[in-house]
Structures are given as C-alpha cells and as structure tokens.
C-alpha cells in the first residue's frame, strides 16, 4: 500500500488514531499513538521520535533520540480499540537518517537483500506454526521469601474432580491427549474461530486451526506463508490478536514454550523455501523426499549451525524446558521425511512442487521472528554456499522414531544444546555465517549475547520451589 492509499484508508475508515509500532530485541512490540489529524505524507518521511534509552538493549541515555519510520506496506486496523485505530509497523533509524543496526526489522531487510545479492534466489518464504496455551487463571511471583506459579484451565486434566458451581461437567483433556478432539472435549473452537476472523481482517490468510496435544487449552492456528519480513510482521500481528482475543473472552493466552510440567510444550515449527521468481528451488522429483540438491545443502547449513542458531530461535531459559526427550520436542539434529522426532522434517503429504519445503521444528515463539528467520536463512545460505551435505556429516536421513532407538544407536546423533548458556556459548564461537554481507554485525551479536546471559543468570541465581522438596530436610 502506498502512503497515499494509507492516508486514504484513514479517511475512509474514520480512523481517529494512528498507532506507530516497533519491535525490541526480545520480539515484543512497543507503540506510540498520534491523532489521525496529525498524520500526513510528511510523517512517512520524517518519522516519529521516541526514547531509545528506555528500550532494553537499545541505546544509552546520552544518545537516546531515535526515529520510527513508518512502513506503508505494513498496516491494519486494530480490532480491539474503542476509538478507530490504524496500526503501522515501523523501522528504526538514528536522527542522522541511518538504519539502526540493532533494529531487528532492519536485519530482516538486510537478510532479504543478501539473498538477492547472493544470486541463489529472489525470495525466501517462511511459514511458522506458532502454538500457544489459553488459560483461565495465571498467577506467579518471584520474591525474596517466596516463589511460585499457578495456572488453571476449565478443560485441564487435573480438574476432573474439581467442585464447580452447577457441577463439574467432565470431558477434560487428558495429558498428551488434546490433539484435535471435537467438542465438548475441545472447549475453544469458538475463541480460535474468532481469532481467525480477526486475523483475516488484519490481512493474514488463515489455513486452519485446531486444539493441540497438551491439556489445558493448547492451540495452533496456521496462516499462509509469505516473504521473510512480511511473515515476521504477520507473526507480530498474530500474537497481538491472539493475546487480546483471549482477554476479551476473559482468558489469557501465552506463547511461553513450557508453562506446564509433564505435558507437551509449545513450539514454532518454521517451514522454509527459496524461489527464483515463480520457480521453486527446493523441488526435485528425483531427490530424497523430492528435495533438490540446493534444499539438502540448505538443511546442511541449518543442522551444522544449529547449536548457535538455537540461541536466536530458542532464546529463553524456558525454551530448554521444552527441548527434552519424550514430549514431541525435536531435540535430535537430523533430517527426515515426515518424521516429527527429527529437528528438520520434510513434509511429504499433499505437497506440490511449489509447496516443497523444509521444516525446522526446534524453534519456539519466544524468538524474535525478524532475528530468527534471518538467522535461519543465513545458516541455510551458508550451507548452499559451502555445499554442506547433511548426509556426509551424519545428520541423516533417519526415517525412524528416534525416541525408540537404543542408547547405542543414539550415540552418534547430535542433540540441541541443553541450556540457554550452552546455546549462547555456541553462538559466541560460531557467528561468521550471520555477519556475511553485514546482515548481523559483531556488535549486535555481542550485545545480544550479553543481554541473554543476564537473563540466564537471573534465573540461575534464584531459588526454585522444587529445591525445597529436594533439600529442605538435609
């Protein structure tokens, strides 16, 4: 959409406020609202000023002035505000007119430009499957003398004997038993359908929704693939609409990877492919799972750099509570067709040449999508550039249920890092593939690692409630 069309849309929709948004390093959106009467063509040239020193990981107070530059191609009408509001995604610039190197969205722009400059293809397409939980009650604290959390859901397995006003109506979701049941077991058909309706209005093309495996309201909504930056924009809109629709229903949604002990966590499986114009480059009907040699090299890059990559695709301490065997988590760094126990899966059911793709199943939604998608693309392109053959490196294909293999058979299978600290160590040791073409800078990577190490330390030094069970009577 052109600037002219955005301004026309403001008039036609009787917009009262224009909400300018940007994303921080953690992937959380921030916003400043201007009266629609104050927004004109110059706003898209001069931008909107904000204080960068108040955003974690950005600038110091001595150089805090920053500018949001609105993107007229990334707008939608907010479905939740009482006063008609148009949301506009922005890039971040310095007052000197330079792109800010720590702006995650600008890194996505550079990654897409690097792909085209490499001559490999014209566009990379991404499609995330971002899972989430919908709870009825969430409480938590972390203080000097107490630490706890509590979540609850009307459909949770632990509520089969709960006394409720009017009686307990049963039909609870069993632990690991929530994959696509019908009502009344699935209580959230309508809320997911409403989320999809609002997502469609915001410009996303919805493919399906369903209940996921875990008890207590785990859900998944799939939207159609798009280019890297556009898909990251769509994912931010997705999370915003999911969060706020749940709130309108008196519930709360979370994309936290592992909010429940003993049941499946929430991942963000990311489907990826590269095209040259209208031609898909990952398809070859003579190859393994119909994959081209380029696609195999892309997989090689993903798996070779996976330990470092995971610092960006699984960037929370909670991420590694999900990445444990036994809960459908893809902890094994191998590739396979149709095998959900492998880190890289090649979908083979109902796939056309243009739909041929690879699926990296390890990421989760604590990732900043602009950084995660860019890092995955850079790892894949490095694999293509260096012709990294995943089979020769022992990454598969492994068309077996890896969880059922003997310990001896598993010995040569690499696993994901066991903690955020391990992933950050891997990123510190292996990041040159990210800095190709200036997509990520060394300064950005160092700053990111330092911020994430602080998070890991903040968790590590705190007393865990389970430690009382283990050690209080020592």
């Amino acid at each position: 959409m052109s600037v002219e069309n955005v301004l026309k849309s403001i008039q036609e929709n009787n917009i009262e406020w224009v909400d300018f948004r940007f994303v921080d390093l953690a992937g959380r959106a921030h916003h400043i609202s201007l009266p629609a009467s104050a927004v004109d063509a110059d706003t898209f040239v001069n931008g909107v000023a904000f204080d960068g020193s108040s955003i974690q990981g950005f600038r110091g107070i001595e150089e805090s002035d920053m500018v949001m530059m609105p993107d007229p191609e990334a707008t939608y009408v907010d479905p939740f505000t009482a006063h008609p509001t148009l949301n506009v995604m922005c890039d971040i610039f310095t007052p000197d007119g330079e792109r800010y190197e720590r702006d995650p969205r600008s890194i996505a722009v550079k990654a897409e430009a690097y792909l085209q400059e490499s001559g490999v293809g014209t566009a990379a397409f991404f499609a995330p499957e971002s899972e989430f939980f919908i709870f009825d009650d969430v409480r938590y604290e972390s203080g000097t003398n107490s630490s706890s959390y509590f979540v609850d859901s009307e459909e949770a397995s632990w509520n089969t004997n709960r006394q409720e006003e009017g009686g307990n109506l049963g039909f609870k979701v069993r632990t690991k038993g929530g994959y696509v049941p019908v009502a009344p077991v699935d209580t959230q058909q309508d809320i997911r359908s409403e989320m999809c309706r609002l997502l469609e209005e915001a410009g996303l093309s919805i493919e399906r929704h369903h209940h996921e495996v875990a008890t207590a309201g785990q859900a998944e909504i799939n939207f159609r693939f798009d280019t890297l930056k556009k898909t990251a924009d769509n994912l931010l809109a997705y999370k915003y609409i999911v969060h706020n629709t749940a709130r309108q229903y008196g519930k709360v949604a979370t994309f936290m990877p592992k909010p429940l002990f003993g049941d499946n966590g929430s991942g963000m499986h990311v489907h990826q492919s590269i095209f040259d114009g209208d031609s898909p480059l990952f398809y070859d009907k003579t190859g393994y799972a119909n994959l081209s040699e380029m696609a195999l090299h892309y997989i090689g890059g993903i798996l070779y750099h996976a330990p470092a990559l995971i610092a960006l695709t699984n960037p929370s301490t909670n991420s590694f509570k999900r990445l444990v065997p036994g809960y459908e988590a893809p902890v094994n760094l191998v590739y396979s067709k149709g095998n959900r126990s492998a880190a890289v899966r090649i979908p083979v059911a109902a796939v056309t040449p243009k739909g041929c793709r690879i699926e990296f199943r390890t990421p989760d939604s604590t990732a900043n999508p602009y950084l995660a998608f860019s890092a995955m693309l850079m790892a894949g392109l490095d694999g293509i550039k260096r012709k990294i053959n995943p089979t020769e490196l022992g990454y598969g294909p492994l068309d077996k249920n890896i969880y059922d293999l003997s310990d001896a058979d598993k010995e040569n299978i690499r696993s994901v890092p066991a903690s955020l600290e391990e992933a950050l160590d891997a990123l510190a040791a292996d990041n040159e593939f990210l800095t190709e073409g200036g997509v990520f800078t060394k300064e950005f990577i160092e700053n990111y690692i330092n911020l994430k190490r602080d998070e890991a330390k903040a968790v590590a030094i705190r007393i865990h409630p389970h430690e009382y069970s283990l050690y209080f009577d020592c």
Side-chain angles (χ1 to χ4, degrees), residues 45-100:
V45 176
N46 300 323
V48 177
F50 73 99
D51 174 12
S53 68
S54 295
I55 304 299
Q56 185 183 29
F58 275 19
R59 288 189 144 187
I61 197 167
E62 76 283 359
E63 50 177 3
S64 59
D65 285 359
M66 306 199 77
V67 181
M68 284 187 278
M69 296 300 296
D71 182 353
E73 300 292 334
T75 69
Y76 65 95
V77 176
D78 196 307
F80 303 106
T81 53
H83 297 269
T85 301
L86 183 72
N87 298 334
V88 183
M89 201 62 199
C90 301
D91 297 310
I92 303 175
F93 282 71
T94 68
D96 298 328
E98 300 291 329
R99 279 192 179 274
Y100 183 46

Side-chain angles (χ1 to χ4, degrees), residues 140-149 462-466 468:
Y140 55 90
E141 66 169 341
S142 179
T144 300
N145 69 322
S146 64
S147 180
S148 65
Y149 72 89
R462 279 167 170 76
I463 295 105
H464 191 286
H466 193 57
Y468 273 78

